[in-house]
Amino acid sequence: MISPRTLRSLKRGLNRNALAKVGIAIVVVVLLAAIFAPFVAPDRPGTQNLNESRQPPIGFEKASTQEVPVQENGSVVFEDGQIVTENRTVYENATWDHPLGTDGTGRDILSRLIYGARVSLLVGFLGTGLAMFVGVTVGLVAGYYRGKVDDMLMRSADVMLAFPSIVLAIALIGVLDDALEQSIPDPFVVTGVAPAFRSALGLPTGMPESTVLPGTIIVVVALVNWVWFARVARGEALSLREESYVKAARALGANDATIMFRHVLPNAITPILVLGTIQIAAIILLESSLSFLGFSSANISWGFDIALGRKYQSTAWWISAMPGLAIVITVIGLNLVGDWLRDALDPGIEGEGGV
């Protein structure tokens, strides 16, 4: 349970930091959009319509060169029995049916961004949670026991850090393959609530009934990032193991596990939570990179859509730019929240970075 003093520090830090409010707003909007995707998505994210392919976003025009017949006085000009044609630049305006445009097969980009947020946030939060569980456990054990146990565990962490994250992640994916992929039913669609809502508003129905949970990616990003939590937890355990309340618990006969998880961990949780907030953003970036390279089974994700737009960079830049912008905004929001938590909860740097 959060203490009143901590709540006061968080509130005081939030009042001093306007950027923190922006970060919280971004995170809340992205979360709500991902949770209620069947209600807010303007169209089905997987439906293709080649007649509407590569439509530009609102506020932009798409220029294309078309071969059209030459006309004089309203009549088509013929030469040697053939229709005379010329190349003409045609400008296609955007429509509010697809406010962020469409991709190469006519799928609505905004709908794909909303559903892609589900995958990115699931991987970000679940991957961070698993990495935190493994890393904190290893770090507490290493810092509490010290000696050979500390050397063995932390040298293992050093070995993990010796490999670039993306290279290590790809190697682990090659080992695990798709064994951990799961499909999560969408309760709003399965129960009929979302279809009824969309039908009443005249919106397209037939939204996806499930979301792909890339379990392999979640495990991989956790295995790549647990070392950061281990290092922080170890440092906290080393400083807290000699505190008077720990010695008192040991004198009263408490076992090591009880001391570590009931006395040391609660007093070390602040830097771990701050690190966790920042790691969510880092893991979202790593998941997007893996999806971009084709190592994720999710076919609706921000990194996957950026990869799809590579061949249209010169003619339809928005196909890659929009999911890239979604990643940037989400990561900035999470980092702003992490900065707020750090400034508010760490007395040594309280007030720094405020606006």
Side-chain angles (χ1 to χ4, degrees):
M1 185 177 181
I2 302 177
S3 67
R5 180 181 177 183
T6 300
L7 289 175
R8 287 194 299 269
S9 297
L10 290 173
K11 185 177 180 180
R12 185 167 58 251
L14 184 61
N15 291 333
R16 295 177 179 178
N17 195 339
L19 289 179
K21 299 175 183 178
V22 174
I24 292 174
I26 292 172
V27 173
V28 169
V29 169
V30 174
L31 277 172
L32 291 178
I35 293 171
F36 298 104
F39 299 99
V40 299
D43 202 354
R44 297 178 290 269
T47 300
Q48 300 181 7
N49 186 350
L50 297 179
N51 294 326
E52 298 181 348
S53 66
R54 288 179 283 173
Q55 282 192 358
I58 293 294
F60 295 90
E61 292 180 328
K62 183 180 72 172
S64 60
T65 302
Q66 297 182 7
E67 190 176 4
V68 297
V70 176
Q71 295 186 3
E72 290 184 0
N73 300 323
S75 301
V76 176
V77 177
F78 287 85
E79 184 175 315
D80 297 331
Q82 301 292 327
I83 298 176
V84 178
T85 61
E86 63 178 356
N87 292 328
R88 184 178 300 171
T89 301
V90 178
Y91 294 93
E92 181 180 348
N93 292 323
T95 67
W96 283 103
D97 292 336
H98 307 290
L100 295 185
T102 59
D103 65 8
T105 56
R107 295 175 295 192
D108 183 66
I109 290 178
L110 178 57
S111 300
R112 293 186 65 82
L113 291 185
I114 292 173
Y115 271 89
R118 285 186 162 187
V119 175
S120 293
L121 293 179
L122 279 172
V123 174
F125 282 96
L126 294 179
T128 300
L130 183 57
M132 184 183 296
F133 174 78
V134 175
V136 170
T137 302
V138 171
L140 287 179
V141 172
Y144 183 81
Y145 287 108
R146 300 187 298 183
K148 293 183 179 180
V149 174
D150 182 21
D151 289 339
M152 180 183 68
L153 293 176
M154 297 317 295
R155 294 301 76 75
S156 300
D158 291 340
V159 170
M160 298 289 291
L161 290 174
F163 295 93
S165 298
I166 190 70
V167 175
L168 182 58
I170 292 173
L172 292 172
I173 290 173
V175 174
L176 296 175
D177 200 13
D178 294 333
L180 303 177
E181 307 302 331
Q182 296 292 329
S183 181
I184 304 177
D186 189 321
F188 298 119
V189 177
V190 173
T191 58
V193 176
F197 175 83
R198 298 183 67 87
S199 179
L201 295 180
L203 298 173
T205 56
M207 307 303 283
E209 295 185 355
S210 61
T211 299
V212 174
L213 178 65
T216 299
I217 299 295
I218 292 173
V219 172
V220 165
V221 297
L223 292 176
V224 170
N225 288 277
W226 68 268
V227 292
W228 305 109
F229 291 98
R231 292 167 72 93
V232 172
R234 172 183 177 270
E236 293 295 315
L238 284 172
S239 62
L240 294 174
R241 70 184 305 277
E242 301 300 332
E243 293 291 333
S244 57
Y245 56 85
V246 174
K247 293 179 180 179
R250 191 180 297 119
L252 290 173
N255 57 44
D256 292 342
T258 300
I259 294 174
M260 282 189 288
F261 292 101
R262 293 190 60 181
H263 299 285
V264 175
L265 178 59
N267 290 283
I269 199 66
T270 296
I272 294 173
L273 290 178
V274 173
L275 176 62
T277 306
I278 298 173
Q279 280 297 303
I280 292 174
I283 285 178
I284 287 177
L285 287 174
L286 180 57
E287 183 276 332
S288 298
S289 300
L290 293 172
S291 297
F292 177 83
L293 295 173
F295 291 101
S296 175
S297 61
N299 57 7
I300 302 179
S301 71
W302 292 340
F304 181 78
D305 284 352
I306 293 176
L308 290 180
R310 284 180 297 178
K311 60 183 179 181
Y312 301 111
Q313 288 292 337
S314 60
T315 58
W317 53 266
W318 54 88
I319 298 177
S320 291
M322 293 305 172
L325 187 61
I327 295 172
V328 170
I329 292 174
T330 303
V331 169
I332 288 176
L334 288 167
N335 283 332
L336 290 176
V337 173
D339 290 343
W340 162 56
L341 292 176
R342 180 200 63 198
D343 295 345
L345 299 179
D346 192 330
I349 55 175
E350 184 176 358
E352 295 183 9
V355 176

